[in-house]
Amino acid sequence: MTTFNAWRDPWVPLQDRNGEQIRLSLRDTFVRAHDLAGLGAGLTPLDRDSLYRFLPSVGAVILRLVGDDALPNEGEDEGWSFPEEAVDQFGALYEERFELTGDRPFLQRWDRKHADLEALFSLDVADPKVRRGREKARSEKLQSLHMLHPHTPGGSSSQWAVRRDTRDETQCAELTLLLVTTWFQTKHGNSKDPWGHKSLKGSAGTWHVNPFAVHLTDPRSLARTLCANMPYAWIDGRNDLPLFLDHESLPRDFATAHVASVTRFTYAKTLPLVYVEDGAPVGFVIGEDPGIPVPGLGKDDKTSLGMVHEFDHTRLYLEQKSGDLKPRGAFGVRLTTTEGFERWFRAENQIRAALDRWARTDRVLTVSSSQKKDWLYSLYSDNGNTHGNREFAAWDELPADVAGASGDALERVRSLLTLAAQCRNTFGYAMKLATGDSRIPPAAEAGQAAFYAGLVPVLAAVAHAVHEGEEVDMRSHALALLRIARREFDRTTAPMLVPSAVARVAHARAEFARLIAKACAQHFPAPASSPEQETS
């Protein structure tokens, strides 16, 4: 393997403003961040969540070199970038820490050297007895590179980590991306897999079984996205570094200054070390790096490692009556599904309270209510079970105007969703009429999901109008909702329009239209003096 350096060699999957998929080095990613739309296509949810943790932690150190005075003023939309001079100054200081191999390998253990692995695993020896011993060591201790994939949900704890895709982890660019994801997520393992028990890893992805994370993303600018997800405290007079840049001189307060410490945010302890043979990576060893201290946060190491990533500014929390914080766990369903969409807005789920607390973190770029119409809430959710299996992982995006609605805007969104829920229920009933069957056909679920997806622009228009102080005609938006419902019902029933079923489908469509119009009249009645009311 030729020497690979993640700072100067391309590996970061990105998308430019023309929609082209490109790979850039870390250095060029920051230099061009203001001209890039965002991360590239084809990434798993864990990849995306990890990159949105990794990139801001590096970007914060770069912005320290710029100085606070050089940043755009609060509320400004333009001018957000990482100056090339500061990027290169950072590279001059830390480029060697991005080497994939060497004494300080990137995102790997530093307590063991590659020469140690050669002495254990190299088969380039003449003595048959030594060779047999090393063959045995390879079979017992050298893990397949496939096990670096902590992605695919389902299956047993020994199998689900093997990602079923075509990416080749022996290629340096892909291996680097895997190391980023492994650093921040690891694997929901148990004592029988190479990672060991999840409570001893200290990685951000294992402190809570069902994490729910929110990243503000601007689809027009990666630079703005990174700055909007970077706590201001990271650049305000601090000199601590991401742990992957410095294992050896941790500041004494890294474990107690939760938001202010980029070191604590990037903490991990159970790490891989890649073994290279004949110029190519062939496997890795895994274990705790004793050079990384366990922070004294609890009564013992297990408790302390479980607490390292409490108060993570990307995660959602609920404040208890005692004052303690409890993570708001993920739902276990896609937020872009009908069920997930409804659950996001239910008052009893306390998402709004968790979002309010999430928004309290002072970030380098603060997005105002009036600017949110151009931003997205990118939502990472992950569900695992007590046996160490990740059963579900998803990445969903909703307009920030809608997902982050509050106050009057939230109440108006909820009122439309109440009508939408009735339309959804009527959808299933009318589908039974269309098929003549007593069971709701599978096609109904896809039609209902398309209906909810079509609602997003309507809800966004309502939320934005409220934020702008404009008068909102809720009945007109409700009628728009009905048009979407009828459109999706017609599309769903279109394949059923065979000669023998035309009359049945026509009746179902008419009944669906009548029932949802009745529901709309109950929730959003027409004014008594309107032509619509007089006609009815």
Side-chain angles (χ1 to χ4, degrees):
M1 178 178 70
T2 56
T3 301
F4 187 90
N5 183 287
W7 180 253
R8 61 173 183 264
D9 294 318
W11 66 274
V12 186
L14 299 159
Q15 179 173 294
D16 67 17
R17 289 181 174 174
N18 296 320
E20 183 180 353
Q21 303 298 313
I22 57 177
R23 294 264 184 153
L24 294 179
S25 67
L26 200 53
R27 185 255 180 207
D28 291 344
T29 296
F30 282 104
V31 169
R32 295 180 53 185
H34 57 288
D35 285 327
L36 296 169
L39 298 180
L43 294 169
T44 70
L46 280 84
D47 292 333
R48 290 187 179 277
D49 183 63
S50 299
L51 284 169
Y52 278 133
R53 298 172 72 80
F54 170 74
L55 292 173
S57 66
V58 174
V61 183
I62 294 173
L63 290 185
R64 290 177 194 167
L65 303 173
V66 175
D68 190 17
D69 295 339
L71 297 176
N73 294 323
E74 185 171 339
E76 290 185 10
D77 209 24
E78 300 300 325
W80 293 95
S81 66
F82 295 87
E84 187 170 1
E85 182 179 352
V87 172
D88 287 335
Q89 188 178 351
F90 173 93
L93 292 170
Y94 303 112
E95 180 177 339
E96 65 178 23
R97 297 293 168 89
F98 291 90
E99 293 284 350
L100 213 55
T101 58
D103 289 341
R104 298 288 184 269
F106 181 50
L107 295 168
Q108 298 169 69
R109 299 172 64 173
W110 288 2
D111 64 310
R112 302 185 69 178
K113 308 301 180 187
H114 195 268
D116 299 334
L117 301 190
E118 286 185 334
L120 279 174
F121 303 132
S122 175
L123 301 180
D124 188 19
V125 291
D127 189 326
K129 183 177 180 180
V130 173
R131 184 181 179 89
R132 286 194 299 272
R134 293 186 179 183
E135 287 174 343
K136 182 179 180 182
R138 287 171 75 106
S139 65
E140 294 177 349
K141 299 178 181 179
L142 188 62
Q143 305 295 330
S144 166
L145 290 175
H146 283 299
M147 289 301 292
L148 278 176
H149 294 288
H151 303 77
T152 303
S156 71
S157 60
S158 64
Q159 292 297 316
W160 76 261
V162 180
R163 192 165 78 198
R164 299 167 180 84
D165 67 21
T166 58
R167 290 191 284 185
D168 183 0
E169 65 273 0
T170 64
Q171 299 299 312
C172 293
E174 302 296 351
L175 180 58
T176 302
L177 177 59
L178 278 177
L179 289 171
V180 171
T181 304
T182 298
W183 181 282
F184 288 103
Q185 305 293 344
T186 72
K187 173 174 179 274
H188 279 357
N190 57 33
S191 59
K192 296 181 181 180
D193 68 52
W195 266 260
H197 195 280
K198 64 184 179 183
S199 65
L200 298 179
K201 299 169 200 170
S203 176
T206 58
W207 73 273
H208 179 50
V209 175
N210 304 319
F212 217 160
V214 180
H215 303 276
L216 260 176
T217 54
D218 183 344
R220 304 162 299 167
S221 167
L222 178 62
R224 284 197 292 268
T225 292
L226 299 184
C227 291
N229 294 285
M230 188 187 300
Y232 183 77
W234 285 3
I235 69 170
D236 186 25
R238 296 195 63 85
N239 58 8
D240 61 325
L241 293 172
L243 189 72
F244 50 79
L245 293 183
D246 185 6
H247 296 194
E248 300 163 323
S249 56
L250 297 186
R252 287 186 299 175
D253 67 341
F254 91 94
T256 54
H258 53 274
V259 172
S261 173
V262 71
T263 305
R264 179 167 176 174
F265 179 76
T266 56
Y267 184 92
K269 186 167 178 63
T270 300
L271 302 172
L273 178 61
V274 175
Y275 175 55
V276 177
E277 193 172 70
D278 296 330
V282 295
F284 68 96
V285 296
I286 190 81
E288 295 181 38
D289 186 333
I292 299 175
V294 177
L297 296 172
K299 60 182 180 180
D300 52 32
D301 285 0
K302 179 179 178 179
T303 305
S304 294
L305 287 170
M307 296 171 64
V308 174
H309 291 281
E310 286 187 315
F311 316 114
D312 183 325
H313 72 272
T314 71
R315 273 31 177 178
L316 293 183
Y317 294 87
L318 296 173
E319 195 160 346
Q320 307 297 291
K321 291 182 180 179
S322 63
D324 295 333
L325 295 178
K326 176 183 178 182
R328 165 61 261 195
F331 300 143
V333 294
R334 295 291 303 269
L335 295 179
T336 47
T337 63
T338 303
E339 180 185 357
F341 200 81
E342 288 184 341
R343 292 180 71 173
W344 178 261
F345 291 99
R346 286 178 195 163
E348 60 267 27
N349 286 330
Q350 299 180 282
I351 292 296
R352 184 65 257 170
L355 282 175
D356 287 344
R357 191 193 177 282
W358 170 85
R360 290 179 206 162
T361 298
D362 187 15
R363 292 168 168 82
V364 173
L365 191 166
T366 301
V367 182
S368 66
S369 295
S370 61
Q371 293 172 317
K372 281 187 176 179
K373 63 182 176 64
D374 299 317
W375 288 72
L376 300 172
Y377 273 13
S378 294
L379 304 154
Y380 169 71
S381 53
D382 177 346
N383 280 75
N385 63 25
T386 56
H387 300 292
N389 301 315
R390 178 176 282 117
E391 298 180 317
F392 175 86
W395 183 270
D396 296 304
E397 293 182 335
L398 292 172
D401 253 3
V402 176
S406 61
D408 186 35
L410 178 60
E411 291 308 311
R412 290 174 183 267
V413 165
R414 283 175 174 164
S415 68
L416 286 174
L417 287 175
T418 299
L419 175 59
Q422 289 186 260
C423 291
R424 174 174 61 82
N425 293 335
T426 306
F427 202 113
Y429 165 73
M431 285 295 291
K432 290 192 291 184
L433 294 179
T435 60
D437 197 332
S438 61
R439 295 169 297 180
I440 298 175
E445 184 176 347
Q448 291 165 334
F451 164 54
Y452 271 76
L455 290 184
V456 173
V458 176
L459 302 180
V462 170
H464 183 64
V466 173
H467 290 152
E468 293 296 304
E470 301 171 2
E471 186 175 344
V472 184
D473 181 356
M474 290 300 294
R475 179 163 175 84
S476 68
H477 290 293
L479 293 175
L481 182 154
L482 296 192
R483 289 193 292 272
I484 296 167
R486 292 185 62 178
R487 180 191 70 199
E488 295 306 329
F489 188 79
D490 287 352
R491 287 177 176 175
T492 305
T493 54
M496 304 175 189
L497 287 171
V498 296
S500 61
V502 168
R504 193 169 59 234
V505 171
H507 170 66
R509 288 179 172 181
E511 188 68 0
F512 180 69
R514 182 184 71 81
L515 291 173
I516 64 174
K518 181 180 178 180
C520 181
Q522 291 172 343
H523 293 285
F524 304 96
S529 60
S530 69
E532 181 184 351
Q533 181 69 29
E534 292 171 4
T535 300
S536 63

